[in-house]
Amino acid sequence: MSNLSRRKLVTTGLAATFGASGLALGDILARRYGLIPPDSGGWYGPGETLTYAAHRLLTRNSMAREFRRDQISTPFANDVGRLGEDFKQLQAGAFAGWNLIVDGMVARTTSFSLAEIRSFPRRSHITQISCEEGWSYIAEWIGVPLSHLLKLAGIDSRARYVVYRSIQRDWWESIDMADALHPQTLVTYGMNGADLPVPFGGPVRLRVPRQLGYKSVKYLTSVTVTDDLKRFGKGLGSASPEGGYAWYAGM
Ligand SMILES: Nc1nc2c(c(=O)[nH]1)N[C@H]1C(S)=C(S)[C@@H](COP(=O)(O)O)O[C@H]1N2
Ligand SMILES: [Mo]
């Protein structure tokens, strides 16, 4: 059998197995491991479920690849979003008034100022951010692990996801606790040894290096801890599936 037809056979077999019985498989996974993504419905649902469940079962604690300092990209690819008056006012005050709110299933709803965020234990990594459109760059990201802020707010043991938002209202995302508590998931305020520049999401950006670029939301304003994504937006987990992209964008 040639490689091509073998591959075709394997793909067809997979499609038959997981396409036809996707719902049954989903049911089993849901009951056994609770690994059904919020966008598990529809045509792409079984594939989304498989990808997410496989990643979580096999590589729950894996690390995103880190690079050497001399591999940092110059110049960067970058996508600059439009920013409103609320942002410009905060920018005029050197972001002294910027707050990040942590709420939802926590013991204490907590508002962290930029100065407080900067005072916490500092972590950094040199990782690649990859856009779903095909471009990428490598940068050093500096911040505090999101897990640190979640612990300070007192996270509930029933927590399953965090929903996070930008001052740009149409950008919001969510990740499961495996990524929220992952040591490389950082609330960043620095890049390549300097303050995080505004075009790259400054003053504060959530960096989720195990997933595609769109999960790294710029101009971060809030993080809500929850056990259920159904009551956010259209119930698909984030803005991405509402626009046709996967909720889980793990690499
Ligand atoms: N608030 C906000 N966050 C965002 C975006 C955006 O437009 N606004 N774009 C996303 C997408 S699609 C990608 S690929 C990366 C791009 O990161 P960069 O601006 O550092 O290049 O940011 C993500 N986070
Ligand atoms: Mo992107």
Side-chain angles (χ1 to χ4, degrees):
M1 192 188 296
S2 79
N3 257 347
L4 195 68
S5 55
R6 186 194 305 274
R7 186 176 304 165
K8 202 171 163 200
L9 187 75
V10 170
T11 343
T12 316
L14 276 174
T17 308
F18 297 121
S21 63
L23 287 177
L25 174 77
D27 259 13
I28 293 167
L29 288 169
R31 263 184 273 115
R32 217 172 271 174
Y33 305 104
L35 290 176
I36 300 299
D39 56 347
S40 65
W43 183 248
Y44 298 109
E48 293 303 324
T49 302
L50 258 182
T51 304
Y52 177 60
H55 276 217
R56 284 299 172 263
L57 289 170
L58 303 174
T59 61
R60 187 176 191 87
N61 300 312
S62 67
M63 300 294 278
R65 183 181 296 270
E66 298 195 17
F67 295 84
R68 298 187 313 268
R69 194 155 291 276
D70 64 302
Q71 291 175 298
I72 289 174
S73 309
T74 47
F76 304 84
N78 179 243
D79 188 11
V80 183
R82 221 157 44 83
L83 291 158
E85 274 313 308
D86 46 356
F87 183 89
K88 284 172 187 154
Q89 272 179 28
L90 287 158
Q91 187 174 24
F95 299 119
W98 193 275
N99 284 304
L100 172 60
I101 292 165
V102 177
D103 62 8
M105 294 177 80
V106 290
R108 301 160 290 278
T109 293
T110 311
S111 177
F112 297 101
S113 69
L114 184 54
E116 278 175 296
I117 292 170
R118 286 172 171 282
S119 75
F120 295 139
R122 174 181 290 238
R123 292 279 178 281
S124 70
H125 52 65
I126 299 172
T127 50
Q128 178 168 274
I129 182 162
S130 301
C131 174
E132 75 292 350
E133 291 171 348
W135 50 268
S136 67
Y137 63 85
I138 294 171
E140 178 201 30
W141 303 88
I142 306 157
V144 56
L146 175 63
S147 66
H148 187 79
L149 306 193
L150 293 175
K151 276 169 202 154
L152 286 178
I155 189 165
D156 192 291
S157 60
R158 291 165 301 167
R160 294 191 56 201
Y161 309 95
V162 300
V163 176
Y164 48 104
R165 301 178 192 80
S166 169
I167 202 164
Q168 291 178 318
R169 290 299 175 98
D170 48 344
W171 280 96
W172 64 283
E173 278 294 342
S174 66
I175 47 177
D176 66 5
M177 296 315 290
D179 265 326
L181 300 176
H182 190 273
Q184 290 173 313
T185 298
L186 303 183
V187 173
T188 60
Y189 47 79
M191 181 191 231
N192 299 335
D195 284 354
L196 181 62
V198 168
F200 292 92
V204 181
R205 177 183 198 169
L206 190 68
R207 183 73 183 100
V208 185
R210 295 202 301 179
Q211 297 203 37
L212 283 173
Y214 59 76
K215 304 297 283 193
S216 289
V217 166
K218 309 197 265 191
Y219 323 116
L220 186 70
T221 52
S222 73
V223 175
T224 301
V225 179
T226 183
D227 62 347
D228 186 7
L229 294 171
K230 291 235 159 50
R231 58 202 173 77
F232 297 89
K234 294 181 182 166
L236 298 176
S238 67
S240 307
E242 294 179 7
Y245 292 95
W247 170 76
Y248 179 69
M251 295 179 288

